[in-house]
Amino acid sequence: MNDLDYMRLALELAERGRGWTNPNPMVGAVIVKDGRVIGEGYHHRCGGLHAEREAFAACTESPAGATLYVTLEPCCHHGRQPPCTEAILEAGISRVVVGSWDPNPLVAGKGLSFLRAHGVEVETGVLQEACDALNDVFFHYIRTKRPYVVMKYAMTLDGKIATRTGASQWITGESARERVHQDRHRYAAVMAGVGTVLADDPLLTCRMEGGRNPVRVICDTHLRTPLDSQIVRTAREVPTILACTDGARRAPYEAAGCRVFVLPERDGHVDLSVLMERLGAAEIDSVLLEGGGTLNWAALESGIVQRVQAYIAPKLFGGKDAKSPVAGLGVELPAQAVKLKNTTVTQIGEDFLLEGEVDTDVHGNR
């Protein structure tokens, strides 16, 4: 095995923390001595030991003189845990191989410089693309202090999210729906509009075995969420935030266990940019947006969306008045379209998932 092989193993370990480490990054670490793996670890959850210290604790022999492979630059500051750079020196590690640089201003190259200054050989950028992709959420959050927003919807091949009668269950198959629950586990929050609550009375929970429920965020400008809705009735079990512009009627919601954010109004609805600031301040690093067409357009127009997931079912609904996934006013000209980059297409059962990043560098995108 070589450096690439050991870093791949570290990446596999890091994946085990998906959904549990927010707002911390996912990190994996492998310790190799004389061609043998003597320790493995990963960051299990926020507040727990970092991957490097987990690997040291799992060592089957002294790590002195060994090589440490870690997917993200070791921290050199005191946070919820002490600096990993100190643990590396104490363990006698002679070489450190790193995948991604840490964009956290408290680290940002300082960890690597500290190790080099103390005689540790450091190599960087090994499988960097894969290591960076692992923590797109963390990188966005640590740089902006705002959540990474993924706009998700399911539609037919002719672009409908419901029939002309409003029926929408189910557009996609079971495999695609299972993938959505994996993402509800992965991202810190799920967000929908009050229209979705009124139409479907959803729970917006994660039904994946062993999964974690996201914080539920309901954009409800005028606080119309029914007090007997599943969202409100389960607010004591699943953290729930109602975002509105007038908090005069907030008391019964708060009594039921909801948090109510009273925010400025923008274009007749909650200012989504300010909402992202509030969520970021609450250490919510990511949002899975499961809104209807109106909320989806408002999110795109306000520039809060980083990624789009479109589940496409090979079926046709037809209907000139059947709803589409993005409504609102829309753009005037094709050149003003919101464009995606780095797109991929994955078949999931009979359905297809098209994903891409919102290209903020293209003229016309918001």
Side-chain angles (χ1 to χ4, degrees), residues 136 148-155 179 183 186-187 287-291 295-297 299-301 303-312 325-326 337-346 352-360 365-366:
D136 49 4
Y148 184 92
V149 178
V150 178
M151 189 176 81
K152 185 276 299 181
Y153 55 81
M155 69 179 188
R179 168 64 185 266
D183 279 343
R186 173 183 183 180
Y187 298 112
V287 172
L288 183 63
L289 173 57
E290 297 191 29
L295 180 57
N296 284 346
W297 171 251
L300 289 170
E301 191 175 37
I304 69 168
V305 179
Q306 280 70 56
R307 189 172 188 82
V308 175
Q309 292 181 335
Y311 289 86
I312 304 171
V326 181
V338 176
K339 297 180 177 66
L340 304 183
K341 63 181 180 179
N342 300 326
T343 54
T344 60
V345 178
T346 306
F352 296 87
L353 171 60
L354 191 153
E355 295 184 88
E357 302 166 27
V358 174
D359 190 350
T360 57
N365 279 5
R366 291 159 173 76

Side-chain angles (χ1 to χ4, degrees), residues 213-231:
N213 283 325
V215 175
R216 300 177 301 196
V217 181
I218 308 301
C219 294
D220 186 1
T221 303
H222 304 294
L223 279 183
R224 294 186 294 141
T225 298
L227 291 171
D228 62 351
S229 65
Q230 292 194 92
I231 290 288

Side-chain angles (χ1 to χ4, degrees), residues 26 44 59 79 90-91 118 129 141-143 150 154 168 173 186 226 234 248 277 337 343 363:
M26 292 178 280
H44 288 244
C59 276
E90 292 169 2
H118 287 79
E129 185 175 347
Y141 177 70
I142 204 68
R143 288 175 176 133
V150 178
S168 61
R186 173 183 183 180
T234 59
E277 293 175 3
T343 54
H363 176 71

Side-chain angles (χ1 to χ4, degrees), residues 7-341:
M7 189 61 76
R8 289 189 187 98
L9 177 56
L11 279 164
E12 291 174 7
L13 291 166
E15 280 281 356
R16 298 180 187 178
R18 188 175 295 279
W20 299 109
T21 65
N22 313 66
N24 284 356
M26 292 178 280
V27 185
V30 176
I31 301 171
V32 178
K33 187 173 185 178
D34 300 327
R36 295 172 289 106
V37 174
I38 64 169
E40 298 179 352
Y42 68 95
H43 186 38
H44 288 244
R45 60 181 64 224
C46 183
L49 290 178
H50 289 184
E52 298 93 326
R53 291 181 181 272
E54 285 280 356
F56 290 136
C59 276
T60 56
E61 60 182 88
S62 170
T67 296
L68 169 68
Y69 295 85
V70 61
T71 55
L72 183 68
E73 177 183 356
C75 66
C76 55
H77 68 288
H78 283 270
R80 292 183 173 92
Q81 293 289 330
C84 289
T85 49
E86 292 182 1
I88 291 169
L89 295 183
E90 292 169 2
I93 292 292
S94 62
R95 179 172 178 251
V96 174
V97 180
V98 175
S100 294
W101 283 268
D102 191 338
N104 187 338
L106 297 174
V107 186
K110 299 183 183 73
L112 303 181
S113 297
F114 177 86
L115 293 174
R116 289 189 175 111
H118 287 79
V120 178
E121 179 186 351
V122 176
E123 183 169 350
T124 60
V126 176
L127 291 185
Q128 182 180 349
E129 185 175 347
C131 291
D132 287 353
L134 179 73
N135 282 308
D136 49 4
V137 166
F138 171 73
F139 288 173
H140 174 82
Y141 177 70
I142 204 68
R143 288 175 176 133
T144 67
K145 297 303 180 185
R146 293 158 64 104
Y148 184 92
V149 178
V150 178
M151 189 176 81
K152 185 276 299 181
Y153 55 81
M155 69 179 188
T156 60
L157 196 57
D158 57 341
K160 307 299 184 181
I161 61 172
T163 68
R164 61 181 174 80
T165 65
S168 61
Q169 296 183 345
W170 295 102
I171 291 175
T172 54
E174 186 174 343
S175 296
R177 297 198 298 273
E178 288 176 358
R179 168 64 185 266
V180 171
H181 286 289
Q182 292 172 13
D183 279 343
R184 287 185 183 178
H185 165 78
R186 173 183 183 180
Y187 298 112
V190 58
M191 186 166 80
V194 66
T196 297
V197 176
L198 293 172
D200 301 332
D201 191 24
L203 268 172
L204 298 178
T205 52
C206 172
R207 266 88 85 183
M208 183 184 86
E209 184 176 354
R212 174 199 57 83
N213 283 325
V215 175
R216 300 177 301 196
V217 181
I218 308 301
C219 294
D220 186 1
T221 303
H222 304 294
L223 279 183
R224 294 186 294 141
T225 298
L227 291 171
D228 62 351
S229 65
Q230 292 194 92
I231 290 288
V232 176
R233 287 191 286 109
T234 59
R236 295 197 184 280
E237 291 77 50
V238 183
T240 302
I241 297 170
L242 301 180
C244 66
T245 59
D246 182 358
R249 295 187 293 114
R250 64 193 295 175
Y253 294 102
E254 291 177 333
C258 300
R259 294 176 67 186
V260 178
F261 286 179
V262 181
L263 304 171
E265 180 179 309
R266 177 181 176 183
D267 298 330
H269 57 71
V270 168
D271 189 319
L272 296 178
S273 183
V274 176
L275 174 57
M276 292 304 109
E277 293 175 3
R278 287 287 300 272
L279 295 178
E283 293 196 327
I284 293 174
D285 67 353
S286 50
V287 172
L288 183 63
L289 173 57
E290 297 191 29
T294 300
L295 180 57
N296 284 346
W297 171 251
L300 289 170
E301 191 175 37
S302 63
I304 69 168
V305 179
Q306 280 70 56
R307 189 172 188 82
V308 175
Q309 292 181 335
Y311 289 86
I312 304 171
K315 58 183 70 170
L316 307 170
F317 280 175
K320 63 182 179 64
D321 296 323
K323 293 181 179 179
S324 64
V326 181
L329 181 61
V331 301
E332 293 182 3
L333 301 170
Q336 298 172 328
V338 176
K339 297 180 177 66
L340 304 183
K341 63 181 180 179

